[in-house]
Amino acid sequence: MSAALPSTVRGLLAGARERGVLLFGLTPPRRSASPEQVEEIARVTLARLTPLDVDALVLYDIDDESDRNPDERPFPYLPTMDPAVFHAEHLTGWHRPTVIYRCVGKYRDSELRDWLEATDPDRVATVFVGASSGSKLVHTVLSRAHALRRDTRPELALGGVAIPERHTRGGDEHLRLLAKQERGCGFFVTQVVYDVDATKSLVSDYHYTCRERGIEPQPIVFTLSVCGSLKTLSFLKWLGVAVPRWLENALRHAEDPLTESYEQCLANARELAAFCRRLGVPFGFNVESVSIRKVEIDASVALVGRLRPLLPG
Amino acid sequence: MSAALPSTVRGLLAGARERGVLLFGLTPPRRSASPEQVEEIARVTLARLTPLDVDALVLYDIDDESDRNPDERPFPYLPTMDPAVFHAEHLTGWHRPTVIYRCVGKYRDSELRDWLEATDPDRVATVFVGASSGSKLVHTVLSRAHALRRDTRPELALGGVAIPERHTRGGDEHLRLLAKQERGCGFFVTQVVYDVDATKSLVSDYHYTCRERGIEPQPIVFTLSVCGSLKTLSFLKWLGVAVPRWLENALRHAEDPLTESYEQCLANARELAAFCRRLGVPFGFNVESVSIRKVEIDASVALVGRLRPLLPG
């Protein structure tokens, strides 16, 4: 299969439309890591990823979201390396495209502009993420970041985040996707999905509104993440991921929550794939491990192997 | 299969625990119907039901629920015959058990007592339904009706209603089921299910709380109803049935909403059956046509035929 994997962002985007893409999401090392530790992490990461059948790597940009949620964060917030630096300096052995997230509120206008101008649009796509709450003080708001990219680097492929839970609350997340699409977003990546019903509702509203307006739906990449412990479960919930009550019960009572959540992720992927095919909405999957425990990362890698057959081509 | 179908309520309840039951729910004729019309309806009903592989008939007691919902009722409220009268006088040709609903708030204490005493517990089980809203003036509250039955006719099998939508709102519907169980309910019948996630969450919470308390879960009968038109859809929603947004979209855009909803009912039944089996919660299905259009009744009859293979025994 590796022969068909994209070496450029152009190939990645074409793949996303034609056959569905498979991504793997990673958080860069902590900023406190020594250069040797970072090298070792990069080495292990590449060893893990290279044999995997993924189309692109996703590197997150971690922001302190404690403003969004007053509850105690189950895992402490630790500043992480700039994903662009980790990519440019340590992942040179990765020859497929990389999607670099940008929490745009963290950056001044000029910082974002410099990064946009320095970034190779053949190898890198980006996803801009807005502020985690309305009250947060930010350097750059999302719409300004979109305008910056359009004015300085329109050839850099841009994606947006999609949050099904926001659709459950307000019923208008599909309109937010359409607004982002108008401002240049060519694909969407969801937050971690455990609430399939909410996700299907978002996709459905997006599909029918695109049809009404006579525009093409852009690929939606569903993020899946196994959950190997109750601590990871509370972290997912802290992050704003809705976990249906029955599934939370199943994980809490499972002898092996990791296997339970792995099977559930697969079942969810099957259901979302069938749903998108039926509507004709292009889709893909992104596997992310929200924890850094080895068993959870191993299960994430195993999950990737099971997802490719669910993609269209 | 008919040889195995129960002729008594005792057989029905044993079946509900051991192999799962299949019920068919009907609204009695309008009170304004002439005796000839009622006879004709009874004849057609029996002709439709006798060849069907159902364990029991359910006869609803219709109450004016306009107090519960200020929106205009999509179908007008028309008073219907007393289900017990329809059963006793017109369905004498039905030789399997019948579950007669009682909206207990409609009846005075003495009326309920008279009915309980006159009812044959071998042929009839009952489901008591409480008031449709807290502000409604009622003759008899649900707990009083439960006490009446316990004191005057404990041998009459009693069921309760289960409303997954209430679980979504309050998260405590399973505790309501357990309270009803303590007051004598030996089975539960849900409101029409279109929100499978909410229903699974209710079943899950009920299961784990039963386990904690060391008590046996009682059978839960899931009510399914096809929806052949947008008017039926709005009636379902008026009745308080939660329809996931994606499913509402699918029905609104379907060339043939009846087939779409029929397939969805089947898929929902499969998912609920698999879920209950896994937890070990006894379950069954009840098929109800909320509209009186012939195509929808025919589809309901067809649905019954597809549900038996999903039951355990």
Side-chain angles (χ1 to χ4, degrees):
Chain A
M1 296 271 287
S2 292
L5 293 175
S7 57
T8 65
V9 168
R10 187 187 304 264
L12 175 70
L13 294 182
R17 271 183 192 75
E18 288 152 22
R19 61 185 185 90
V21 283
L22 196 50
L23 314 181
F24 195 88
L26 285 178
T27 299
R30 294 176 189 172
R31 218 178 286 159
S32 59
S34 68
E36 295 72 28
Q37 286 173 317
V38 174
E39 269 312 306
E40 175 62 11
I41 290 170
R43 196 190 60 72
V44 171
T45 300
L46 281 182
R48 217 178 244 143
L49 287 176
T50 307
L52 273 188
D53 188 25
V54 297
D55 296 286
L57 185 62
V58 173
L59 292 178
Y60 295 111
D61 192 11
I62 303 301
D63 199 5
D64 180 2
E65 298 195 11
S66 55
D67 59 301
R68 196 182 48 72
N69 189 335
D71 298 340
E72 197 191 340
R73 201 179 195 274
F75 294 109
Y77 169 69
L78 296 167
T80 49
M81 278 182 73
D82 182 326
V85 172
F86 183 55
H87 176 249
E89 298 182 2
H90 302 277
L91 295 175
T92 47
W94 176 249
H95 301 295
R96 293 175 221 155
T98 300
V99 180
I100 294 182
Y101 270 51
R102 282 291 177 217
C103 294
V104 296
K106 283 167 69 175
Y107 307 99
R108 286 172 209 288
D109 213 278
S110 57
E111 290 173 298
L112 261 185
R113 182 192 309 262
D114 289 349
W115 177 70
L116 285 165
E117 284 172 352
T119 300
D120 178 359
D122 282 339
R123 292 186 60 221
V124 171
T126 189
V127 167
F128 283 172
V129 184
S132 50
S133 77
S135 58
K136 189 161 187 161
L137 286 175
V138 297
H139 291 293
T140 306
V141 297
L142 187 59
S143 56
R144 170 67 191 146
H146 287 152
L148 254 180
R149 173 232 164 225
R150 186 193 56 216
D151 296 343
T152 62
R153 201 66 161 161
E155 62 275 33
L156 186 72
L158 174 70
V161 293
I163 302 187
E165 285 78 0
R166 212 150 51 182
H167 202 58
T168 304
R169 286 193 298 274
D172 61 352
E173 181 70 358
H174 62 301
L175 300 178
R176 219 171 265 125
L177 300 191
L178 285 158
K180 289 178 185 173
Q181 192 165 331
E182 249 177 55
R183 300 200 307 248
C185 284
F187 63 96
F188 299 101
V189 185
T190 69
Q191 177 169 270
V192 170
V193 168
Y194 268 96
D195 188 343
V196 171
D197 244 26
T199 309
K200 283 163 74 176
S201 290
L202 170 58
V203 171
S204 171
D205 279 337
Y206 176 63
H207 163 76
Y208 287 110
T209 309
C210 280
R211 210 169 72 168
E212 259 170 51
R213 299 187 183 177
I215 56 183
E216 279 296 304
Q218 301 301 314
I220 301 180
V221 179
F222 302 110
T223 299
L224 303 173
S225 180
V226 299
C227 171
S229 72
L230 298 186
K231 188 151 182 186
T232 303
L233 178 63
S234 36
F235 186 49
L236 283 169
K237 291 177 75 177
W238 187 91
L239 285 170
V241 176
V243 180
R245 177 74 186 175
W246 62 266
L247 180 53
E248 183 175 342
N249 284 346
L251 294 173
R252 283 190 191 283
H253 290 90
E255 275 185 41
D256 177 5
L258 186 60
T259 301
E260 180 80 27
S261 74
Y262 178 91
E263 292 301 330
Q264 195 57 52
C265 283
L266 255 183
N268 291 349
R270 279 195 203 100
E271 188 168 348
L272 290 168
F275 189 75
C276 288
R277 272 168 205 263
R278 207 175 155 191
L279 291 183
V281 171
F283 68 97
F285 296 110
N286 171 38
V287 175
E288 170 193 358
S289 178
V290 297
S291 103
I292 53 165
R293 291 173 56 221
K294 187 170 181 305
V295 284
E296 289 180 280
I297 297 175
D298 288 347
S300 307
V301 167
L303 182 60
V304 167
R306 303 285 298 277
L307 293 177
R308 175 66 76 191
L310 302 181
L311 292 173
Chain B
M1 298 271 285
S2 290
L5 292 176
S7 55
T8 64
V9 168
R10 189 187 302 265
L12 175 70
L13 294 181
R17 272 182 191 77
E18 287 152 24
R19 60 187 186 89
V21 283
L22 196 50
L23 313 182
F24 195 86
L26 285 180
T27 299
R30 293 176 190 172
R31 219 178 284 160
S32 59
S34 67
E36 295 72 29
Q37 286 174 317
V38 174
E39 269 311 305
E40 176 62 10
I41 291 170
R43 196 189 59 73
V44 170
T45 300
L46 281 181
R48 218 177 242 143
L49 287 176
T50 308
L52 274 188
D53 189 25
V54 297
D55 296 286
L57 185 62
V58 173
L59 292 179
Y60 295 110
D61 191 12
I62 304 300
D63 199 6
D64 180 3
E65 299 196 10
S66 55
D67 58 302
R68 196 182 48 73
N69 189 335
D71 297 342
E72 199 190 339
R73 201 179 194 273
F75 294 110
Y77 168 67
L78 295 168
T80 49
M81 279 182 72
D82 182 325
V85 172
F86 183 54
H87 176 249
E89 298 182 3
H90 302 277
L91 295 175
T92 46
W94 176 251
H95 300 297
R96 291 174 222 153
T98 300
V99 179
I100 294 183
Y101 270 52
R102 283 292 178 214
C103 294
V104 297
K106 283 166 69 175
Y107 306 99
R108 285 174 209 288
D109 212 278
S110 57
E111 289 175 297
L112 261 186
R113 182 192 308 262
D114 289 349
W115 177 71
L116 285 165
E117 284 173 352
T119 299
D120 178 357
D122 282 341
R123 292 185 61 219
V124 171
T126 190
V127 166
F128 284 171
V129 185
S132 50
S133 77
S135 59
K136 189 161 187 159
L137 286 176
V138 297
H139 290 294
T140 307
V141 297
L142 188 60
S143 56
R144 169 67 191 146
H146 286 151
L148 254 180
R149 175 236 164 222
R150 187 193 56 216
D151 295 342
T152 62
R153 201 65 162 163
E155 61 275 32
L156 186 73
L158 174 71
V161 294
I163 302 187
E165 285 78 0
R166 211 150 52 181
H167 202 58
T168 304
R169 287 194 299 273
D172 61 353
E173 182 70 357
H174 63 301
L175 300 179
R176 221 172 264 126
L177 300 192
L178 284 158
K180 289 178 185 173
Q181 191 165 332
E182 251 178 53
R183 300 201 305 248
C185 284
F187 62 96
F188 299 102
V189 185
T190 69
Q191 175 168 270
V192 170
V193 168
Y194 268 96
D195 187 344
V196 171
D197 244 26
T199 309
K200 284 163 73 175
S201 289
L202 170 57
V203 172
S204 170
D205 279 336
Y206 175 64
H207 163 77
Y208 287 110
T209 309
C210 280
R211 208 167 75 168
E212 259 171 49
R213 298 188 184 177
I215 57 183
E216 279 295 304
Q218 300 301 312
I220 302 181
V221 178
F222 302 110
T223 298
L224 303 173
S225 180
V226 298
C227 171
S229 72
L230 297 186
K231 189 150 183 188
T232 303
L233 178 64
S234 34
F235 186 49
L236 283 169
K237 291 176 75 178
W238 187 90
L239 285 170
V241 176
V243 181
R245 176 75 185 175
W246 63 266
L247 180 52
E248 183 175 341
N249 285 346
L251 294 173
R252 283 189 191 283
H253 290 89
E255 276 185 41
D256 177 3
L258 186 60
T259 302
E260 180 81 28
S261 74
Y262 177 92
E263 292 301 331
Q264 195 56 52
C265 283
L266 255 183
N268 291 350
R270 278 194 204 101
E271 189 169 347
L272 290 168
F275 189 74
C276 288
R277 272 168 204 264
R278 206 174 156 193
L279 291 184
V281 171
F283 68 97
F285 296 112
N286 171 38
V287 175
E288 170 193 358
S289 178
V290 298
S291 104
I292 53 165
R293 291 173 57 221
K294 184 166 181 309
V295 285
E296 290 181 280
I297 298 175
D298 288 347
S300 306
V301 167
L303 183 59
V304 167
R306 303 286 297 277
L307 294 177
R308 175 67 76 189
L310 301 181
L311 292 174

